Amino acid sequence: MAVVHSEVDFYISQLLTGHGCFRAYQYRFKLDNTAECPGCQTVEETKEQVKNSIRFAAERSELERVCGGRITPENVVSYMLLSEQHRNAVKRFTTVVLKGLRWKERAKRRD
């Protein structure tokens, strides 16, 4: 099996590190009044939780369809390295989800 390499972009680096528009991260720096996921309302919104949140079920379902398995924090990088198709699926998921989180965070700051 050939290993596929790619640069890590802005959104993938946020997903891998947990830095960015995740509510738990924003709350830690007093940029949000709660760390809870607005969809689940019982757990903190973190990089791990985003992969399980009901808010992103459609996006996650498409990612898991392409990858052929459940995506977890422990295996997302392994999937990215399998093929260009897998890497692009992870990139699409990450970009859509984190752009959405970022848009909501900016809208909240404007209000």
Side-chain angles (χ1 to χ4, degrees):
M1 171 183 3
V3 176
V4 180
H5 297 281
S6 175
E7 290 185 24
V8 174
D9 69 11
F10 177 74
Y11 297 109
I12 290 177
S13 68
Q14 285 188 352
L15 183 72
L16 296 176
T17 64
H19 298 179
C21 294
F22 302 106
R23 289 186 92 177
Y25 184 78
Q26 297 290 319
Y27 181 73
R28 182 174 149 203
F29 291 101
K30 312 235 184 305
L31 300 171
D32 205 329
N33 59 351
T34 182
E36 289 181 350
C37 170
C40 302
Q41 298 178 346
T42 57
V43 295
E44 288 187 340
E45 182 181 85
T46 63
K47 68 178 185 172
E48 292 84 6
Q49 190 275 335
V50 162
K51 295 180 191 121
N52 297 312
S53 178
I54 59 174
R55 292 190 305 156
F56 308 111
E59 294 87 350
R60 187 176 49 259
S61 177
E62 175 61 15
L63 172 61
E64 291 178 346
R65 184 193 65 75
V66 171
C67 291
R70 180 141 170 76
I71 300 299
T72 66
E74 294 80 22
N75 71 13
V76 70
V77 172
S78 297
Y79 275 116
M80 289 173 60
L81 295 175
L82 283 177
S83 71
E84 186 174 353
Q85 179 185 15
H86 288 85
R87 184 179 66 249
N88 288 338
V90 171
K91 187 173 182 172
R92 275 190 304 276
F93 170 81
T94 304
T95 300
V96 167
V97 168
L98 290 175
K99 273 187 177 181
L101 291 175
R102 189 172 186 164
W103 180 83
K104 288 176 184 177
E105 187 261 334
R106 285 182 175 174
K108 201 174 357 173
R109 283 189 188 186
R110 283 192 303 266
D111 293 342

